[in-house]
């Protein structure tokens, strides 16, 4: 089994989901007392969030690149960035190490295409929904990507940072997200990408009339497949 390196802490709630999923998936595939071989570098999210707001993405990339180097030195055979938004600096992180970086967008796009879906709605932070780095990655796989309107984007972003990243899950916010999803479906979305790892704490398949694609689980599944490949 290869060792999976995790750059986490953004937020730690979603990183805990990564750790749980990786171990459950390995146990499902290998049975018995097997668990995932992994190392975790968990950053202080407050500092990263300040860099996000200031638009200092290169400095944020330097922080994550240093974390990736540490993971490689600790024996990681592959690296995951355990957040959608910070894939904005994925190329900077990948360039810092000699081991593969498994891109979350690629894992998600492959799962979407495997379901026969071509037009997806994208939920995530404002950075993920409004900037090109993530949408273009999905489009490179032949997907048509829809994002919510301005008011809905603001709502989705606020719930992520003011509630989910703090471990707060509110039924009112779930209902609001369901309304956002309904409006995306009305515009032609055949599926919805939960493009922020914390959203999976709030939205599951039963909350959507179309397939949802939980990026944390899909990323973890890709990592375990890579770790257990011959």
């Amino acid at each position: 089994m290869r060792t999976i390196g995790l750059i986490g802490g953004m937020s730690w709630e979603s990183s805990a989901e990564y750790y749980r999923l990786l171990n459950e998936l390995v146990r499902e595939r290998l049975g018995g007392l097997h668990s995932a071989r992994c190392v975790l570098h968990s950053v202080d999210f407050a500092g990263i969030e300040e860099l996000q707001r200031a638009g200092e993405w290169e400095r944020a990339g330097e922080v994550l690149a240093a974390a990736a180097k540490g993971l490689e030195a600790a024996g990681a055979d592959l690296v995951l960035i355990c957040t959608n938004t910070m894939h904005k600096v994925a190329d900077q992180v990948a360039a810092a190490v000699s081991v593969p970086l498994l891109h979350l967008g690629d894992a998600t796009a492959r799962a979407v295409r495997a379901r026969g879906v071509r037009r997806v709605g994208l939920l995530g932070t404002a950075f993920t929904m409004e900037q090109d780095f993530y949408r273009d990655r999905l489009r490179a796989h032949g997907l048509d990507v829809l994002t919510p309107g301005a008011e809905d984007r603001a709502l989705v972003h606020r719930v992520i940072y003011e509630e989910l990243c703090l471990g707060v899950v509110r039924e009112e916010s779930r209902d609001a997200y369901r309304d956002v999803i309904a409006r995306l479906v009305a515009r032609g979305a055949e599926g919805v990408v939960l493009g922020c790892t914390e959203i999976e704490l709030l939205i599951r398949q039963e909350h959507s009339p179309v397939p949802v694609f939980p990026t944390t689980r899909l990323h973890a599944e890709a990592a375990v497949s890579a770790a257990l490949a011959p």
Side-chain angles (χ1 to χ4, degrees):
M1 189 192 309
R2 294 172 182 83
T3 299
I4 302 168
L6 306 170
I7 305 175
M10 301 167 285
S11 65
W12 69 258
E13 281 87 357
S14 66
S15 300
E17 281 293 291
Y18 266 92
Y19 185 72
R20 179 183 65 81
L21 286 166
L22 289 171
N23 284 289
E24 287 181 353
L25 290 165
V26 168
R27 183 175 60 194
E28 288 173 9
R29 298 194 189 191
L30 299 183
L33 297 176
H34 283 289
S35 56
R37 184 177 294 166
C38 57
V39 289
L40 167 66
H41 182 121
S42 189
V43 304
D44 180 0
F45 190 31
I48 297 296
E49 192 272 338
E50 288 177 5
L51 294 174
Q52 290 176 342
R53 281 191 290 110
E56 296 188 26
W57 294 100
E58 186 172 353
R59 284 185 57 196
E62 290 171 358
V63 174
L64 268 60
K69 290 178 181 177
L71 292 171
E72 184 176 19
D77 298 301
L78 57 136
V79 172
L80 310 185
I81 302 174
C82 300
T83 159
N84 285 268
T85 298
M86 293 311 296
H87 275 73
K88 181 174 175 68
V89 299
D91 290 344
Q92 190 176 350
V93 175
V97 292
S98 59
V99 296
L101 173 75
L102 269 64
H103 198 289
L104 190 154
D106 293 338
T108 299
R110 285 193 291 268
V112 172
R113 289 183 60 91
R115 288 288 299 271
V117 172
R118 288 297 179 271
R119 174 174 290 179
V120 292
L122 174 62
L123 302 182
T125 66
F127 311 110
T128 299
M129 292 186 290
E130 296 174 1
Q131 298 182 21
D132 290 333
F133 69 95
Y134 197 86
R135 293 179 299 177
D136 284 352
R137 193 81 180 202
L138 298 179
R139 287 168 177 156
H141 289 266
L143 300 179
D144 185 11
V145 182
L146 303 176
T147 54
E151 290 186 7
D152 283 349
R153 293 198 305 271
L155 180 148
V156 170
H157 181 88
R158 180 190 61 76
V159 168
I160 290 168
Y161 278 90
E162 297 181 12
E163 298 177 19
L164 300 179
C165 285
L166 300 175
V168 177
V169 178
R170 300 174 65 242
E171 194 62 37
E172 296 90 340
S173 295
R174 178 176 288 120
D175 290 341
Y177 267 50
R178 294 178 76 168
D179 290 340
V180 173
I181 290 171
R183 285 188 281 274
L184 287 169
V185 172
R187 290 169 51 199
E190 302 164 347
V192 176
V193 171
L194 306 184
C196 175
T197 48
E198 285 85 9
I199 292 177
E200 291 165 58
L201 304 175
L202 185 69
I203 295 297
R204 296 183 297 275
Q205 182 57 66
E206 61 262 32
H207 303 131
S208 170
V210 295
V212 298
F213 296 93
T215 56
T216 301
R217 172 170 285 277
L218 296 172
H219 205 196
E221 289 174 350
V224 169
S225 294
L228 298 181

